[in-house]
Amino acid sequence: MFLRVLIFIILIFLVYRIITSMRRARLSKNESERVIPPQPSAEDLVEDPVCRKNVPVSQAYKKEISGRIYYFCSKHCCDKYMSSEDR
């Protein structure tokens, strides 16, 4: 009787080990096939002279004033700067 219980426990343990090793193999295969999305490249930030917000150069509103390029976070800030400069 004891021997049958011991054999049964050993069989259960072996089945458990086989199932867990198959799961690990499947998970590692999925991880190796996973595509890592490209990281966004670092971009220079410029400061808006009106609201002092930092904005990436590619998203900034650009305006050339007296031969110099100014960067703004929005057209609203650009208009505000232009109206304050007229005074």
Side-chain angles (χ1 to χ4, degrees), residues 7 15 18-19 21 24 40 48-49 60 63 67 69 74 85-86:
I7 291 173
V15 169
I18 290 170
I19 290 172
S21 66
R24 276 192 227 126
D48 184 316
K63 180 78 172 181
I69 297 177
S74 65
E85 189 179 81
D86 291 336

Side-chain angles (χ1 to χ4, degrees), residues 14-45:
L14 290 175
V15 169
Y16 168 76
R17 294 292 294 198
I18 290 170
I19 290 172
T20 56
S21 66
M22 289 172 58
R23 281 185 182 171
R24 276 192 227 126
R26 192 177 331 141
L27 288 175
S28 66
K29 180 182 176 188
N30 288 344
E31 287 178 3
S32 66
E33 293 174 352
R34 186 173 14 154
V35 176
I36 299 172
Q39 296 294 326
S41 62
E43 186 175 355
D44 290 336
L45 297 176

Side-chain angles (χ1 to χ4, degrees), residues 6-86:
L6 184 61
I7 291 173
F8 182 72
I9 291 173
I10 291 172
L11 285 175
I12 296 290
F13 177 74
L14 290 175
V15 169
Y16 168 76
R17 294 292 294 198
I18 290 170
I19 290 172
T20 56
S21 66
M22 289 172 58
R23 281 185 182 171
R24 276 192 227 126
R26 192 177 331 141
L27 288 175
S28 66
K29 180 182 176 188
N30 288 344
E31 287 178 3
S32 66
E33 293 174 352
R34 186 173 14 154
V35 176
I36 299 172
Q39 296 294 326
S41 62
E43 186 175 355
D44 290 336
L45 297 176
V46 289
E47 185 179 18
D48 184 316
V50 177
C51 66
R52 303 290 184 212
K53 181 192 284 187
N54 289 321
V55 183
V57 173
S58 65
Q59 298 175 8
Y61 186 82
K62 300 169 185 85
K63 180 78 172 181
E64 185 175 340
I65 304 168
S66 301
R68 182 174 174 202
I69 297 177
Y70 290 86
Y71 298 93
F72 302 94
C73 68
S74 65
K75 183 167 178 11
H76 174 74
C77 280
C78 178
D79 293 342
K80 195 172 184 181
Y81 182 80
M82 295 298 287
S83 67
S84 69
E85 189 179 81
D86 291 336

